[in-house]
Amino acid sequence: MSDGPGPGPVPAADGMPAVQPVLSLALVSMMQAVRAHSGAVYLLRPDEPVLEMAVMAGMPRAFAAPWQRVGLRAPIPVADAARERRLVWVGGEEEMARRYPRIAVVLAYPFSLAALPVATEHRLYGAVFVTWPGAHAPELSDAERDQLWAACDRLALRLEGAARDNRPLGHETDVITEPVAGVADTLGSVEAARMVSRLPYGLVSLDLHGRIGFLNTAAAELLGRPVGELLGTLPWVSVPWLNDPMYEDRYRGALLSQQVTSFVALRPPGEWLSFRMYPSTTGLSVRISRARAVAEMARGTPRAGASPSRLVTISQLLGLAGALTEAVGVQDVVQLVWSEVAAAVGSQAMMILGSQGGRLHVLGHRGYPDPHTAERFHGLPLTERTPGTQALHSGVPAFFDSREQLERLYPGRYESPDGFAAWAYLPLIASGRPVGTCVLAYAEPHAFPADERAVLTSLGGLIAQALERALLYDAKNRLAHGLQQALLPHSLAPPPGIEAAARYVPATQGMDIGGDFYDLVPTLPLAAAVIGDVQGHNVAAAGLMGQIRTGVRAYTTVGQAPHEVMSSTNRLLIDLGAELFASCLYLRLDPVRGRAVMARAGHPPPLLRRPDGRVRVLDLAGGPLLGIRAAAVYPTTEVDLAPGSVLVLYTDGLVEAPGIDIEDALAGLGELLAETGDRPLERLADDVVRHSAATGERVDDVAVLLLRAHAEP
C-alpha cells in the first residue's frame, strides 16, 4: 500500500519490468465519471476461484482489509457480481445490514456501493466496486449504470489484450490522495499558519489514514500533548483518553459517509471537549472546543468508567468466539448463547430453532417464564408462515420493534411469546446453508438501528458455526453409541450355576466407540465367555471387533475347543487383511465340575477371587496377539472355579493409564475385590469401573466381564 498522490509504475518484487498502472487509471477514471469517492479493482486468480484486490483508490486499504482476498462463493458484493455476471447495488447502510451483514458489522456507516464484473463474453477477469457517501440517491441513475458498465467493459478488453500479448497485469500502487493546491498561493503558508494559531479553538488536520498532519497550539493544549509528540500520530493512539474504539469509528464513518460528524469526549478528570469532523476526499479537518451544556451533550456519549458504547465490544466478541469454539454439544451452544450473547445485547429470553423432517425443532431455550411458550413451536411444519420458519428458509434476519409490528406481518401470532415486546430472528448460516434460527426476545419495545442489526447478524454467524459443529458432534455420538450397542450383546444369558455382569465405558478422547468387546455364548453342554480388545477406538476398530465376536460365536457353536477357537479367529483376522491386531481371552465354563478352561492371546490376565476372599492374578499360558502370525499356537490352562468364586475379565484400559504403574493398578483392583467381592455382581461391576486407573481422562476404552459361580440347587 502506498500513500502517494496518484498511480504510477510499480516495480515488480521479482525484478521483472514495472507494471503499467492500467488498473489504477481505469479505476480513477470510472470514479470520476460517476462521482464516486472510493473503489477497488479485484483480479481473479488463474489457479483458484479467488478474487484478489489489485488496487484501491480514495480510501486506505485498511478499510477493506478483511476483503483483500475473497472466494468467489463469499457473501460479499464483488464476489456476487463476478460469480453472477451482474451489477450489484447496495443503496445504504440499512440494505447493507440486511443483505451483507458481515460487511455492515465492520463498516456500519451510511454509504452506497456498486459492484460489477470485469468480463468479456468468454472470460471473467475480476470485479470492481465503487462507493458513494450516504447522501447518494437510493438508486443508481441510468447514466451511472451505463458509465459503470462501459468502464468495466473497456477494462475487460484491456485485460484481454494484455493476456493475449502475454502481459498479465497485477497489483498496482493504491491511489490515496491528490495534492491540495491553491491555499499557499492565496494566503501564503506563513500567514495561514499565523491565522490558524490565533483562533481560540483547536484545529487538527487528519489524512485519510487518520494521522495528524497539522494542529494549532490551541488543539495541542486541549489534547494535553506537545505539538511535536502529536504530529504524524493517530490521535486515538497518542492521546490515552481518546483510546476508545468509538472515536476511531467516528473517523471512519465520517470518511465513508462524507458527512460532518461530531462527538464529545471526557478529558480527565472532568472536562468535556467537543470534536467536529469535516471530511473531504483528502482527509478530515477537526475542530476541538470546550463543550457547553455538558449534561445534554453527554447523554449519548461514554462517561468515565463506563463501558464502550458499542453494542458488543471487541473483547466481548473475542470472548464469545473463544467460548463457542469450546462448545461440544447443542446444549452447550444454547447455554453459551444465553450466558454470553443474550446478556451482552440485553435480551431477556432466547431460543434456538432447527429443522428436521420438514418440521421446526426447538433445540433449546432460556428465559421464558413458561417453558411451554417456547416448546409449543416444536414440531411446527416448516410450511407455516412464521418469523422463525421464514428466517430459516430465506437466510434473511428479521427484527420486530414491537408486538404490533410482529402481529401486523404475522397475524396468526404463532411466535408471539407472552410477556415479550420485541424480537430479533437471526438466521444461522454455516457452510452456505441454514442450520437454524436464533430468537432473541426483549421485555420492552426495542428499536434495532442498522449498526445493531449488523452486529446481531454477525453474532448469528458465530453461533451458526458452533451450532453446526455441535449438531455434527451430537449426530456422531448417536451414531457411535448406536453402533457400539449393536455390536455388543444386548443381554447376557449365562448357563445355570453362573451369574454374569458386564460394563463398557468408551474413551474420553476421540469417538465414543472402540474395539473392546465381551460376550457370553450359552452353548450346551458347556458355555463360553470371551473378552477382547482391537487396537484403536474408532469405526475401523469397532467394525473389526464385530467380525471377531461373530467369528468366536461361530467357532464356539460348531464345537471347537478353546485353543481351536483362538487359532481359527487368528486365521480369520489374517484372511481379512486387517491392519489392526487384537488381544483376546477365551474360556469354556463348566460350572458342574467347578472348572474353566482358558486360552489367551496377548490379553491382560484375569483376576480370580476365591470364596474365602483371597484374590490372585491368574498366570495363564498364552500366545501372540491375534492377526500377527498364521501358525500361532494358543495353549490352554484349566482353572478351579469353585462356588462363590468371582472371575474378573477386563481390557487394558481398566488398569493402564499415563503415569500409573500397572502392578500398582492390579494390586489396587485386587484389594477392592477382596473387600467388596461379596456384593451383588451388578454393584460390584460398577465399583470395578469406578476404581479404574483412568477415572478421569481415559485414553482407551474399558470393558469388564464378571462371572460368579454358584452351587447347583
Side-chain angles (χ1 to χ4, degrees):
M1 184 175 70
S2 169
D3 301 335
V10 181
D14 56 3
M16 297 296 289
V19 177
Q20 294 300 314
V22 173
L23 304 178
S24 305
L25 293 173
L27 178 60
V28 171
S29 175
M30 183 187 309
M31 290 167 52
Q32 291 175 345
V34 296
R35 298 181 181 274
H37 80 307
S38 72
V41 176
Y42 287 79
L43 295 180
L44 180 65
R45 285 187 57 87
D47 54 345
E48 55 182 327
V50 170
L51 294 167
E52 287 188 340
M53 185 182 291
V55 65
M56 187 167 184
M59 288 287 169
R61 185 171 288 223
F63 277 45
W67 311 287
Q68 293 193 64
R69 177 183 166 91
V70 298
L72 271 179
R73 304 296 304 178
I76 69 170
V78 286
D80 287 352
R83 187 178 64 255
E84 300 171 11
R85 304 290 185 95
R86 66 181 178 89
L87 187 152
V88 175
W89 167 251
V90 184
E93 59 180 331
E94 294 273 352
E95 188 175 358
M96 184 69 78
R98 178 172 55 83
R99 294 173 55 191
Y100 300 101
R102 296 183 186 178
I103 293 179
V105 73
V106 179
L107 302 176
Y109 317 117
F111 70 99
S112 303
L113 178 146
L116 300 90
V118 178
T120 61
E121 182 179 355
H122 304 292
R123 180 175 174 182
L124 174 68
Y125 290 95
V128 169
F129 80 75
V130 291
T131 69
W132 292 264
H136 190 280
E139 297 293 337
L140 276 176
S141 67
D142 291 340
E144 289 172 324
R145 288 177 178 270
D146 293 343
Q147 289 167 332
L148 288 172
W149 275 117
C152 287
D153 290 343
R154 289 194 298 269
L155 179 55
L157 292 175
R158 295 291 301 273
L159 292 169
E160 182 180 50
R164 185 175 55 248
D165 299 338
N166 198 25
R167 295 184 295 102
L169 302 178
H171 292 256
E172 299 179 8
T173 304
D174 289 346
V175 185
I176 302 299
T177 64
E178 297 180 359
V180 180
V183 176
D185 295 338
T186 304
L187 300 175
S189 58
V190 175
E191 187 57 34
R194 288 174 178 170
M195 180 192 72
V196 171
S197 66
R198 290 192 292 264
L199 294 175
Y201 44 79
L203 287 179
V204 179
S205 175
L206 303 179
D207 64 15
L208 290 176
H209 296 281
R211 295 184 296 243
I212 298 175
F214 171 84
L215 74 163
N216 63 1
T217 304
E221 291 176 351
L222 290 170
L223 295 175
R225 297 285 301 278
V227 172
E229 294 182 9
L230 292 171
L231 287 174
T233 68
L234 301 171
W236 43 88
V237 173
S238 55
V239 181
W241 47 273
L242 288 178
N243 187 15
D244 187 304
M246 185 196 76
Y247 303 129
E248 183 180 359
D249 182 76
R250 295 299 177 87
Y251 140 77
R252 289 172 174 257
L255 279 184
L256 274 174
S257 67
Q258 291 292 292
Q259 295 177 357
V260 176
T261 304
S262 61
F263 63 90
V264 295
L266 178 64
R267 172 184 169 176
E271 184 176 22
W272 288 90
L273 299 182
S274 171
F275 293 76
R276 193 167 182 83
M277 295 183 287
Y278 301 85
S280 75
T281 57
T282 60
L284 294 95
S285 296
V286 184
R287 171 177 166 166
I288 309 174
S289 60
R290 288 179 171 82
R292 300 184 181 182
V294 173
E296 293 184 9
M297 296 182 67
R299 283 175 185 168
T301 62
R303 298 179 181 274
S307 59
S309 62
R310 293 187 177 189
L311 177 68
V312 178
T313 64
I314 297 298
S315 59
Q316 285 176 309
L317 192 61
L318 293 175
L320 173 62
L324 287 173
T325 60
E326 299 174 2
V328 177
V330 170
Q331 293 310 309
D332 295 334
V333 175
V334 171
Q335 183 57 40
L336 278 169
V337 172
W338 171 243
S339 58
E340 300 283 344
V341 177
V345 304
S347 71
Q348 285 71 47
M350 58 76 56
M351 175 169 49
I352 293 184
L353 304 172
S355 64
Q356 186 177 354
R359 293 184 176 274
L360 209 61
H361 275 232
V362 178
L363 301 178
H365 59 83
R366 299 287 189 276
Y368 291 92
D370 181 3
H372 297 293
T373 301
E375 293 167 0
R376 62 179 174 172
F377 306 124
H378 193 79
L380 193 70
L382 293 179
T383 53
E384 294 282 0
R385 187 177 178 274
T386 69
T389 55
Q390 288 290 104
L392 192 62
H393 275 310
S394 66
V396 177
F399 302 92
F400 302 96
D401 299 354
S402 64
R403 178 181 296 274
E404 292 74 23
Q405 187 182 44
L406 176 65
E407 293 175 352
R408 185 170 61 253
L409 295 176
Y410 295 91
R413 296 177 58 188
Y414 290 109
E415 298 191 277
S416 294
D418 294 336
F420 294 100
W423 298 266
Y425 288 81
L426 310 177
L428 305 180
I429 309 296
S431 304
R433 64 181 185 86
V435 296
T437 301
C438 178
V439 184
L440 299 173
Y442 297 78
E444 302 293 336
H446 181 88
F448 295 95
D451 56 347
E452 183 172 343
R453 296 185 183 202
V455 169
L456 290 174
T457 307
S458 181
L459 289 174
L462 289 177
I463 298 168
Q465 297 295 327
L467 182 60
E468 182 184 44
R469 291 193 302 269
L471 289 169
L472 290 174
Y473 177 86
D474 286 352
K476 181 205 74 172
N477 264 8
R478 288 192 296 271
L479 173 63
H481 285 298
L483 180 58
Q484 192 76 53
Q485 293 301 316
L487 293 174
L488 292 174
H490 296 288
S491 61
L492 298 175
I498 295 292
E499 181 186 358
R503 296 291 185 270
Y504 171 80
V505 183
T508 55
Q509 300 176 10
M511 293 186 69
D512 290 346
I513 188 172
D516 290 20
F517 68 98
Y518 58 84
D519 203 358
L520 195 58
V521 187
T523 54
L524 296 175
L526 302 178
V530 63
I531 192 166
D533 182 3
V534 179
Q535 287 176 307
H537 41 277
N538 50 37
V539 173
L544 187 58
M545 173 264 280
Q547 292 173 306
I548 294 175
R549 178 171 166 250
T550 302
V552 168
R553 271 188 165 261
Y555 301 135
T556 300
T557 302
V558 298
Q560 289 189 356
H563 70 280
E564 293 175 322
V565 171
M566 296 295 276
S567 296
S568 298
T569 306
N570 177 54
R571 288 192 296 271
L572 172 65
L573 256 67
I574 293 174
D575 292 343
L576 289 173
E579 297 181 356
L580 301 176
F581 306 127
S583 69
C584 189
L585 177 64
Y586 179 90
L587 57 153
R588 190 66 55 83
L589 300 167
D590 187 354
V592 175
R593 294 178 54 238
R595 311 293 291 174
V597 179
M598 304 186 185
R600 186 165 68 98
H603 199 81
L607 275 69
L608 176 65
R609 183 187 189 273
R610 296 184 181 278
D612 59 6
R614 289 182 299 166
V615 179
R616 71 185 181 97
V617 178
L618 297 179
D619 184 16
L620 305 177
L625 293 169
L626 301 177
I628 292 181
R629 191 169 68 249
V633 176
Y634 297 93
T636 59
T637 303
E638 189 171 293
V639 177
D640 178 64
L641 196 61
S645 300
V646 177
L647 264 177
V648 180
L649 316 179
Y650 57 91
T651 56
D652 54 9
L654 184 73
V655 294
E656 293 183 4
I660 302 295
D661 184 82
I662 190 170
E663 299 292 338
D664 294 338
L666 284 173
L669 182 58
E671 293 174 1
L672 173 70
L673 292 173
E675 295 173 4
T676 63
D678 292 328
R679 292 178 178 177
L681 209 59
E682 291 291 338
R683 182 178 173 187
L684 181 59
D686 292 333
D687 292 342
V688 168
V689 170
R690 280 196 297 267
H691 189 76
S692 167
T695 54
E697 284 290 318
R698 292 184 303 277
V699 297
D700 200 1
D701 306 353
V702 174
V704 174
L705 177 62
L706 304 185
L707 303 171
R708 174 178 282 155
H710 290 290
E712 286 289 344

